[in-house]
Amino acid sequence: TIKMVHQMTTNDTNTKAKDSTNGNASPLWWPRKAGSETVQARGAAVFPVFYLAPIEYYSLLLKSPSVIFEVTEHFIKQTYRNRCCICGANGKLNLIIPVRHTGERTPVKDVKIANENNWQKIHWRSIETAYRTSCYFEFYEHIFAPYYEKKFEFLVDFNFALQEEILKILEAPPPPSPQGGGKNKVRQ
């Protein structure tokens, strides 16, 4: 089961989340391991929404019996929310989506992509250059290429669109569509 969290507040002893399925607040337990990005919520793991997340992210996601994607947390700079790492000819290459946000406490779902520059073309060419000769690239190229041609207004919409495709490839259930559906799956 996969849910979308629309509202989250935290403190040391009590954390509440409101999920889109029934609107009720449910208590969450935060694991205290350093660097942990997941949260246990009545058997559900809460995940941030990343841009082409590392393999460990999908490993944890697929092992979780129930998943909640957090979209109302505050946008944190220099995280996988708007960047990914690929292996290029000269080593690690960071692909960073340029974003516009209004301030320090902008919810992830409200972060807009700065489409003024040609970041999508640069990212796709980097991916092609790095992986064109690798096994199976030709089998997945047609799946991912359209996402680097279409303009997305919100970062979370782009990330979810890519994540849906990755989960299809992994034969996992797709990410949730919050109440109402529509083109913009996350914004309410």
Side-chain angles (χ1 to χ4, degrees), residues 2-157:
I2 299 178
K3 297 178 186 176
M4 184 78 57
V5 172
H6 287 287
Q7 186 177 65
M8 181 172 274
T9 58
T10 54
N11 64 35
D12 287 336
T13 58
N14 189 17
T15 301
K16 300 276 183 189
K18 187 186 275 188
D19 71 54
S20 63
T21 54
N22 61 14
N24 294 330
S26 58
L28 297 179
W29 172 77
W30 288 76
R32 295 295 176 199
K33 288 198 299 186
S36 176
E37 296 259 17
T38 62
V39 177
Q40 296 296 321
R42 291 189 187 180
V46 178
F47 285 83
V49 183
F50 287 162
Y51 169 46
L52 297 177
I55 192 73
E56 295 88 0
Y57 176 91
Y58 290 102
S59 175
L60 287 172
L61 187 122
L62 294 174
K63 288 178 185 175
S64 302
S66 184
V67 173
I68 299 171
F69 288 103
E70 172 58 88
V71 296
T72 59
E73 67 182 340
H74 298 173
F75 178 76
I76 302 168
K77 294 180 181 180
Q78 298 183 3
T79 62
Y80 288 122
R81 286 158 187 83
N82 70 319
R83 63 184 61 215
C84 70
C85 299
I86 63 171
C87 294
N90 297 322
K92 180 179 164 183
L93 178 62
N94 289 318
L95 302 179
I96 302 167
I97 300 173
V99 296
R100 273 186 263 121
H101 53 94
T102 57
E104 291 180 22
R105 300 191 179 264
T106 304
V108 171
K109 69 182 181 111
D110 294 336
V111 175
K112 292 186 177 185
I113 297 174
N115 283 313
E116 292 80 36
N117 59 18
N118 213 0
W119 71 270
Q120 288 173 300
K121 189 175 185 179
I122 294 167
H123 283 210
W124 183 246
R125 283 191 179 162
S126 298
I127 291 168
E128 276 188 313
T129 302
Y131 299 113
R132 168 68 58 204
T133 59
S134 64
C135 298
Y136 304 106
F137 180 82
E138 63 188 30
F139 295 106
Y140 299 107
E141 177 181 17
H142 72 281
I143 295 171
F144 293 103
Y147 295 102
Y148 292 92
E149 295 166 1
K150 178 183 175 189
K151 298 289 183 195
F152 287 82
E153 184 178 3
F154 293 96
L155 177 66
V156 76
D157 291 338

